[in-house]
Amino acid sequence: MNPDIGLRPSGVSRIPADLQQAIDAHKAGDLDTAAPLYRQYLARDPSNPTALQLLGLLHSQCGEYETAITYMQESLRRFPQQAEVANNLGIALAQLGRTNEALERYRQAVTLEPRYSLAWRNIGLCQLQRQNFEPAQAALKRCLEINAGDAAAWLGLANTWKRQDKPEKAIAYLQRAIEVRPDYAAAYHNLGVCLRLTGQSGQAIEHYQTALRLGLKRPELYQNLGNALVDMGEFEPAIEAYREAIARDPDSPELKQLLTAAEEKKQRRVEKSLEQECLDPDIDNSWSGLPDPEFAQLLRHARGLHAAGRLEEAEQLYRRLEHTGAERETVLRSLMELYLAARRPEVAVEVLTALTREVPDTLYYFGRLAVLLEGLGRAEEAITHYQRLLERQPDYAAAWFNLALLCKKQRRYAEARTAYENAVRHGIDNVQEVYSNMGVLYSEMRQGEKSMAMYRRALEVDADYIPAIFNLAGLYEESGKRQEALDLYQRILALDPTHWESLARLVQAQKITPENHQLLETLKSSIESAGRDGNALEPLYFALGKALDDLGRYDEAFTAYRTANGISRSRRAPYRRDVTEQAFGRLIELFSADWIEQNKTDSPAAPIFICGMFRSGSTLIEQILARHPAITPGGELDILPWLVAQRLSPFPDAVMNSSRQKLAALSDGYLAALRDLFPDALSVTDKRPDNFLFLGLIKCLFPRARIIYTRRQPLDNCLSIYFQQLGGNLNYATDLADTAHYYRQHDGLITHWQRCFSRDIFTVDYDELVAGPEPVLRGLLEVLNLPWDMDCLRFRDADNLVKTASVWQVREGLHRHSSGRWRHYAVAVENLKTILE
């Protein structure tokens, strides 16, 4: 990729006439004149950064990258603040395959000039080349935030999905690339590839032909066009396309094989037509039963209309052909492609449903239908269709597996378990994967022993199956079995020394001391080995920060955490403070005390919700309460957010239009899900911290709900969030200023809830709890109408699963180590204090 020439001169206030003469020739494309003029100028002024950078660019444009690098490096050494030079140097390095150095230069460019969109694009394309898809997407999205008209960035973003075998996600980005640059031949070609991969060969042909008209004449384009034409039964033009491809790549055996296959298919069609004529010379050419040749001709015409974008005419002809009875599957498939291309998914569902009846034993159409229905929010219907297939073919192992995945997403755990068992019973390939998935399923169902048994069964099939070993190690952690977990992480690293997540977990699961400091050296060498792989570096740097903090090397620890969060931030959507303020303001506006009172249900249930900021002590409180005989710990349940997403989208506005009956049904749904997971429990704690966003809805659904709000010293709380690798949706967590902003917004919302129903919110201050636990716990149990129980102070002995990032902290018992922890990082948090105050 060659950058635009019009570079900004750096390091000089005025350009001398002879240097300007060289620049003018360079801009005009007269490189033979520009090069000696630059050299003449440098003979007189050898340290001029502008002449150095432009001569370097000229050599880069001529393909002389080694020479270009020499000049650009010297220009940067003389004048380091040149973002464009750093970017162009990165391009030259990339051309020589030195991608690590190229990426460093691109990053230098955006550090110098954060809104340098071209450098962000180059970072994304470089990461894409290295198969680092998430950081590639983050960089390309940043480029497009700055310059939405960058067609190459849209194409790059599409390719991040195409190369992950998800062409359906790439299509919209390719269409956007064409919108901003209608003559972008490469985008048309790529769009054709993705359309064909999603079963839309007719539309693919149109885009391949457009790419050809725009001047793209590569052999792979002709090959792809030929493949799509074969899909559509257009053998003669396919043969022509293959011959064009061979003319450009005469040594390709694959192209010759494709040409031979197309010629054979064409011959078989001719023979079939002749045979039909001999058998029935007086065929009635009515629409009730077209002969193959005429049917093929009309189908070809319909596809031509389809490819030309005349979708209404194509649809009418397809519909007429559909009722002839000839090759009905082919016609329906063409209709499916048409409706998907026309963005009419509801009609596409009807056609796919017809296809599943026309070809009732083929998983392909059932899979396409299920994906489409799930995308439309109709996953329950998708489940019904899989069940219909399995009624016909009860031994179809792959269908059972797909059904299990879908049922699990819909929280239909018992059906998911049965489907997995049937997949095993009917001989599915890679059965160890199914057993490992069942282990995850049982873990979500809070059935730790069954989960462990499934992981062990997976390992009986394949003793080195790393996903099962890793999941089993995680289950040991959740159960408090530290040494067993550490042993398994070591086992994974013996099998695969580059399994960085296991190394990170190995560090997080134990305290690093001078005696086991060798782990610190292993971490540092692993970070060097991981290169620029963000997927590896993010957990490794968080682990490095934790190790250095354990050793009391706080300045180094903060540097590691800052690096970890920088990587994390580059892979997420940016945090937008205005959007957060609007969202919190909308909650305060809609959920007033009067509205809650007027719309509350009659539910007598009194569920317990523990909420607050992440890392504010909610896990500790739940573990303490778990020792009381009347309470079962639920952990971070996703029941309420899932129900809201399913039934009250968009939240919160959809709540305002919901009847009391609908809210009562939501309340019943929550309780039913709770009973499924904990059928014998008296009271279950729902410890999902961000349920504080739903407290207005919770008090409406459950007027008698008990709410425990956990609060922690704000500086400690924000730092603890910053020091933890949290989920990708917590985009405020990677920047301390953003975390502080979110903290203040959360604080304002809690103040609103306290105004609305303060008597029903019990606040637990983390620092008060660790300083004097018994008075705090007695007050809490009194609010919950439970008698005092001394076992609550012996919560370290609890054998329940802890499924949060605080898994090891809560096993350590009550201590004051984390109170005032921010003082170790006083200099780093000075700005944070100002924001929070």
Side-chain angles (χ1 to χ4, degrees):
M1 178 189 302
N2 289 326
D4 296 334
I5 287 180
L7 297 181
R8 295 163 292 183
S10 304
V12 294
S13 58
R14 184 178 61 82
I15 300 176
D18 49 352
L19 179 55
Q20 186 63 57
Q21 184 182 0
I23 293 172
D24 291 341
H26 193 166
K27 286 183 176 180
D30 187 358
L31 305 188
D32 290 337
T33 300
L37 290 174
Y38 283 137
R39 293 192 184 95
Q40 289 170 20
Y41 184 84
L42 285 169
R44 189 177 77 251
D45 185 4
S47 64
N48 185 280
T50 299
L52 287 167
Q53 63 157 318
L54 294 177
L55 184 54
L57 175 60
L58 185 148
H59 281 288
S60 186
Q61 292 169 313
C62 294
E64 299 165 354
Y65 300 113
E66 293 286 3
T67 306
I69 289 167
T70 301
Y71 281 113
M72 291 182 189
Q73 286 177 331
E74 181 63 16
S75 179
L76 278 176
R77 190 182 72 80
R78 299 282 183 180
F79 193 74
Q81 304 303 313
Q82 303 176 94
E84 284 186 274
V85 182
N87 178 65
N88 290 338
L89 176 54
I91 292 169
L93 289 162
Q95 291 290 339
L96 295 175
R98 295 160 63 179
T99 53
N100 286 349
E101 298 170 76
L103 200 51
E104 289 178 9
R105 292 305 183 180
Y106 297 145
R107 286 175 171 149
Q108 179 185 3
V110 297
T111 300
L112 293 168
E113 190 173 325
R115 293 187 60 79
Y116 193 2
S117 64
L118 179 59
W120 281 113
R121 184 224 286 173
N122 288 341
I123 290 172
L125 296 177
C126 191
Q127 294 284 27
L128 173 60
Q129 182 183 352
R130 296 158 60 120
Q131 306 290 307
N132 296 336
F133 297 117
E134 289 187 16
Q137 289 170 349
L140 290 165
K141 287 177 180 177
R142 178 68 180 126
C143 166
L144 291 165
E145 287 172 10
I146 300 165
N147 178 17
D150 190 330
W154 288 111
L155 175 59
L157 199 53
N159 282 330
T160 65
W161 291 114
K162 189 179 78 171
R163 293 187 190 178
Q164 295 180 77
D165 296 324
K166 296 179 180 178
E168 69 283 355
K169 291 190 175 184
I171 289 172
Y173 295 116
L174 289 165
Q175 290 168 335
R176 189 75 178 91
I178 291 168
E179 285 176 18
V180 300
R181 184 176 159 189
D183 63 345
Y184 199 2
Y188 284 102
H189 182 195
N190 278 270
L191 181 53
V193 171
C194 292
L195 287 167
R196 180 172 181 261
L197 289 171
T198 56
Q200 302 176 66
S201 295
Q203 290 291 298
I205 291 168
E206 174 189 355
H207 290 90
Y208 291 144
Q209 291 171 338
T210 302
L212 287 169
R213 285 196 300 272
L214 291 169
L216 194 65
K217 305 293 183 182
R218 295 176 182 169
E220 61 267 27
L221 172 54
Y222 283 104
Q223 176 181 339
N224 290 336
L225 174 59
N227 293 342
L229 287 164
V230 167
D231 292 344
M232 303 296 284
E234 303 281 354
F235 298 121
E236 289 187 12
I239 289 167
E240 292 177 13
Y242 289 139
R243 286 173 176 163
E244 288 286 354
I246 291 170
R248 289 162 174 78
D249 186 4
D251 298 325
S252 170
E254 181 185 3
L255 286 171
K256 293 173 183 176
Q257 290 170 4
L258 289 170
L259 175 61
T260 300
E263 289 172 337
E264 290 175 353
K265 289 178 181 178
K266 176 188 173 184
Q267 183 60 31
R268 284 198 297 270
R269 171 174 285 181
V270 170
E271 291 170 357
K272 183 178 178 182
S273 298
L274 291 172
E275 180 184 351
Q276 179 66 31
E277 288 178 14
C278 292
L279 290 172
D280 192 0
D282 299 317
I283 292 174
D284 176 12
N285 289 336
S286 69
W287 282 97
S288 61
L290 288 168
D292 274 359
E294 189 166 342
F295 174 88
Q297 181 180 359
L298 289 169
L299 182 59
R300 192 157 49 243
H301 181 55
R303 285 168 169 166
L305 293 169
H306 187 165
R310 295 162 63 180
L311 300 186
E312 290 186 9
E313 297 170 75
E315 179 186 7
Q316 290 174 6
L317 189 47
Y318 283 142
R319 285 297 189 186
R320 293 176 71 183
L321 288 170
E322 176 191 356
H323 298 295
T324 66
E327 297 189 39
R328 192 162 185 266
E329 179 190 355
T330 303
V331 178
L332 287 172
R333 184 161 179 165
S334 297
L335 268 172
M336 174 194 71
E337 294 172 2
L338 183 146
Y339 290 130
L340 289 173
R343 299 182 183 178
R344 296 169 63 186
E346 297 288 352
V347 194
V349 164
E350 295 176 12
V351 176
L352 271 166
T353 303
L355 275 165
T356 63
R357 299 190 188 283
E358 186 73 19
V359 194
D361 299 320
T362 301
L363 183 60
Y364 173 78
Y365 294 123
F366 284 91
R368 291 290 302 272
L369 179 58
V371 169
L372 190 56
L373 285 169
E374 189 178 5
L376 292 170
R378 295 160 58 184
E380 296 294 336
E381 292 180 53
I383 290 173
T384 302
H385 285 292
Y386 273 128
Q387 290 169 336
R388 182 162 57 84
L389 170 62
L390 288 163
E391 285 175 7
R392 289 180 56 87
Q393 294 199 68
D395 59 348
Y396 206 151
W400 282 115
F401 183 77
N402 288 357
L403 177 62
L405 295 174
L406 198 53
C407 286
K408 179 176 175 290
K409 289 181 184 178
Q410 294 304 110
R411 303 184 58 83
R412 293 167 61 165
Y413 293 133
E415 293 169 77
R417 178 187 60 213
T418 300
Y420 277 135
E421 289 169 349
N422 280 321
V424 174
R425 185 177 300 115
H426 294 296
I428 194 166
D429 294 334
N430 299 316
V431 69
Q432 66 272 27
E433 179 185 356
V434 181
Y435 285 133
S436 187
N437 281 8
M438 290 180 74
V440 175
L441 177 68
Y442 279 121
S443 180
E444 289 190 16
M445 296 169 69
R446 304 307 194 263
Q447 298 181 29
E449 290 184 6
K450 290 184 178 180
S451 176
M452 196 167 293
M454 287 298 107
Y455 295 139
R456 286 174 175 161
R457 289 190 72 176
L459 294 173
E460 288 171 7
V461 177
D462 181 354
D464 296 336
Y465 186 54
I466 287 178
I469 304 173
F470 187 76
N471 288 338
L472 181 57
L475 187 62
Y476 277 137
E477 283 201 76
E478 293 170 4
S479 306
K481 298 177 180 179
R482 190 191 307 266
Q483 192 55 53
E484 290 90 335
L486 296 177
D487 290 345
L488 286 181
Y489 290 133
Q490 293 279 20
R491 178 177 163 188
I492 292 172
L493 290 167
L495 291 169
D496 178 6
T498 66
H499 200 279
W500 310 122
E501 185 66 30
S502 289
L503 177 58
R505 291 279 191 94
L506 197 62
V507 174
Q508 298 284 2
Q510 60 186 306
K511 187 173 179 63
I512 305 303
T513 65
E515 287 70 33
N516 64 355
H517 72 282
Q518 74 280 355
L519 266 176
L520 184 62
E521 302 309 315
T522 303
L523 266 177
K524 290 179 177 178
S525 63
S526 298
I527 286 171
E528 291 180 8
S529 301
R532 296 292 178 179
D533 182 357
N535 289 322
L537 291 175
E538 185 177 348
L540 289 176
Y541 270 110
F542 274 111
L544 178 61
K546 186 263 182 189
L548 291 165
D549 183 274
D550 284 349
L551 294 168
R553 294 159 61 176
Y554 300 117
D555 289 345
E556 295 173 75
F558 192 82
T559 298
Y561 282 130
R562 183 169 54 213
T563 303
N565 279 287
I567 297 167
S568 183
R569 188 162 52 252
S570 72
R571 301 167 66 196
R572 306 183 188 206
Y575 176 68
R576 290 188 55 186
R577 300 185 184 186
D578 57 332
V579 171
T580 301
E581 291 168 12
Q582 291 168 11
F584 278 67
R586 189 67 172 152
L587 288 170
I588 292 170
E589 176 188 353
L590 295 181
F591 288 102
S592 65
D594 290 342
W595 188 91
I596 295 169
E597 181 64 28
Q598 292 166 10
N599 291 275
K600 66 184 181 183
T601 70
D602 298 326
S603 174
I608 302 170
F609 292 90
I610 305 172
C611 59
M613 286 288 288
F614 283 92
R615 313 291 295 164
S616 64
S618 56
T619 303
L620 178 59
I621 280 294
E622 183 176 55
Q623 283 299 99
I624 291 171
L625 290 176
R627 293 294 291 167
H628 198 285
I631 292 180
T632 298
E636 291 188 2
L637 300 174
D638 67 349
I639 300 173
L640 185 59
W642 185 82
L643 285 171
V644 168
Q646 295 289 312
R647 305 186 190 181
L648 291 177
S649 182
F651 182 82
D653 299 77
V655 181
M656 301 300 113
N657 299 319
S658 299
S659 64
R660 186 170 296 183
Q661 290 78 10
K662 184 174 182 178
L663 294 175
L666 190 73
S667 170
D668 292 341
Y670 177 88
L671 296 174
L674 214 57
R675 284 193 297 272
D676 284 345
L677 291 176
F678 309 100
D680 302 321
L682 296 175
S683 290
V684 179
T685 51
D686 184 337
K687 188 215 75 69
R688 187 179 174 96
D690 54 358
N691 273 342
F692 76 83
L693 296 166
F694 299 121
L695 289 185
L697 177 64
I698 287 170
K699 288 302 293 180
C700 183
L701 300 178
F702 306 106
R704 298 179 59 193
R706 280 79 55 87
I707 297 165
I708 303 168
Y709 167 62
T710 55
R711 178 183 290 278
R712 186 176 179 186
Q713 203 280 342
L715 287 171
D716 282 336
N717 200 163
C718 290
L719 263 187
S720 187
I721 289 171
Y722 190 69
F723 289 170
Q724 191 70 46
Q725 185 179 4
L726 297 172
N729 60 323
L730 303 181
N731 52 357
Y732 63 82
T734 61
D735 181 273
L736 280 174
D738 288 340
T739 306
H741 177 267
Y742 189 89
Y743 188 97
R744 291 189 61 179
Q745 296 301 309
H746 127 275
D747 199 47
L749 183 58
I750 291 296
T751 300
H752 171 71
W753 298 140
Q754 288 170 331
R755 291 195 192 103
C756 292
F757 38 84
S758 60
R759 289 178 297 178
D760 299 320
I761 300 177
F762 185 87
T763 299
V764 175
D765 185 282
Y766 174 85
D767 298 296
E768 290 180 13
L769 175 67
V770 298
E774 187 169 334
V776 176
L777 296 179
R778 284 185 179 276
L780 175 55
L781 291 174
E782 184 178 342
V783 168
L784 298 178
N785 296 318
L786 295 174
W788 170 251
D789 193 307
M790 282 297 295
D791 272 358
C792 289
L793 295 176
R794 294 188 283 270
F795 66 91
R796 289 183 63 185
D797 302 328
D799 60 357
N800 58 285
L801 300 181
V802 179
K803 302 178 76 66
T804 76
S806 308
V807 56
W808 290 117
Q809 289 91 326
V810 299
R811 302 286 185 189
E812 295 171 0
L814 291 171
H815 57 74
R816 302 187 187 183
H817 304 328
S818 295
S819 291
R821 184 186 183 190
W822 66 269
R823 292 185 176 85
H824 297 310
Y825 301 92
V827 175
V829 301
E830 197 61 40
N831 185 50
L832 182 64
K833 289 172 65 176
T834 304
I835 297 172
L836 289 169
E837 288 168 359

